[in-house]
Amino acid sequence: MNRLFALTSLALFTALPISLPAAPVYPMTAKIVTEKLEAVELPRIRLSGKQDIQMDYYDALEIAKPSNESMLLKHRFLPNQEISLTIFNGSELQGGVSVESVARYLRRKSEEAARNKQFFEIITQPEGGEGPAKIRFLGAKPITIEYALTRDIDGKVVRCIILESWAQMDGQTYLLRIEAPEDRYQQFFGLSKSLAGSMYFVE
């Protein structure tokens, strides 16, 4: 009986979608620093926290005040385009990070939108470790999804694309999120992919 109960409990736990805590466990401070490479000084973005992260800097992006993210960057002239990084303690993230938990998380978002009669369209389902990754960051091969919803931008209903990329490393969970109006998404995704690929942990 106890073994049956344990197996049933395990099945229920593994069936859970990702459930986000109220706030990131590790808020970070973002600032622009200078890195000297040979005779050239280049600007970089440094995220200071429990473990520092550094990445490339692009003039088109500026550091914004985060709400529930660890770091938020917005397009300097088109603020509806943004990229963020949120870091959670792995133990605070119910469901863990797997293809199954991310798929259930995505399905739950779709069901919630349907109940609220809001537009929501799944564009990319999470995939496993086979094939090339759509985006990489911090040396990880994350699990990535894309979906569309609508925003009110300057009094107009605009279809926006959101990418969420999940990775779990050393007991922490990292969520990289990109959002842009659909007509600008591919261009902004290219910029964001390059930025994400430049992220590394500072020793």
Side-chain angles (χ1 to χ4, degrees):
M1 179 65 72
N2 290 338
R3 183 172 182 273
L4 178 60
F5 177 79
L7 290 173
T8 303
S9 299
L10 178 62
L12 287 173
F13 177 77
T14 56
L16 292 173
I18 290 175
S19 181
L20 303 182
V25 176
Y26 300 113
M28 305 192 81
T29 301
K31 64 179 179 180
I32 298 172
V33 298
T34 300
E35 181 180 15
K36 189 170 185 177
L37 298 177
E38 297 180 353
V40 181
E41 291 189 345
L42 299 174
R44 297 283 189 254
I45 296 175
R46 171 72 69 96
L47 305 179
S48 301
K50 184 176 181 180
Q51 186 170 13
D52 291 359
I53 296 171
Q54 195 155 296
M55 69 190 81
D56 289 348
Y57 168 78
Y58 297 112
D59 288 339
L61 299 175
E62 59 184 2
I63 298 169
K65 183 178 180 180
S67 51
N68 288 330
E69 307 91 356
S70 300
M71 176 274 295
L72 177 63
L73 303 175
K74 292 194 175 190
H75 195 286
R76 190 176 299 277
F77 308 109
L78 302 164
N80 300 112
Q81 301 179 35
E82 60 184 47
I83 176 172
S84 65
L85 181 69
T86 307
I87 305 171
F88 304 97
N89 186 322
S91 63
E92 296 292 327
L93 198 72
Q94 180 177 296
V97 175
S98 66
V99 171
E100 293 76 16
S101 66
V102 175
R104 294 183 182 104
Y105 160 81
L106 182 60
R107 186 165 61 246
R108 186 178 63 185
K109 290 180 76 72
S110 178
E111 290 168 352
E112 288 175 352
R115 283 195 300 270
N116 294 323
K117 298 182 179 179
Q118 297 171 336
F119 173 79
F120 188 95
E121 179 184 341
I122 296 173
I123 297 174
T124 303
Q125 292 278 0
E127 297 179 355
E130 302 300 324
K134 188 174 183 69
I135 192 168
R136 285 180 179 268
F137 61 95
L138 295 174
K141 186 175 181 181
I143 298 171
T144 301
I145 56 175
E146 288 174 296
Y147 54 90
L149 44 72
T150 56
R151 303 278 196 207
D152 187 324
I153 300 177
D154 297 329
K156 297 180 180 179
V157 177
V158 178
R159 178 181 160 106
C160 295
I161 308 296
I162 296 172
L163 175 144
E164 291 187 9
S165 200
W166 297 83
Q168 206 158 30
M169 296 174 281
D170 299 325
Q172 292 179 232
T173 300
Y174 298 81
L175 168 59
L176 182 78
R177 189 177 185 276
I178 299 167
E179 178 174 347
E182 184 176 36
D183 61 347
R184 298 182 180 273
Y185 176 74
Q186 287 303 325
Q187 181 178 3
F188 188 65
F189 170 76
L191 174 67
S192 299
K193 183 176 182 178
S194 178
L195 179 70
S198 76
M199 289 183 181
Y200 65 92
F201 292 111
V202 179
E203 298 296 334

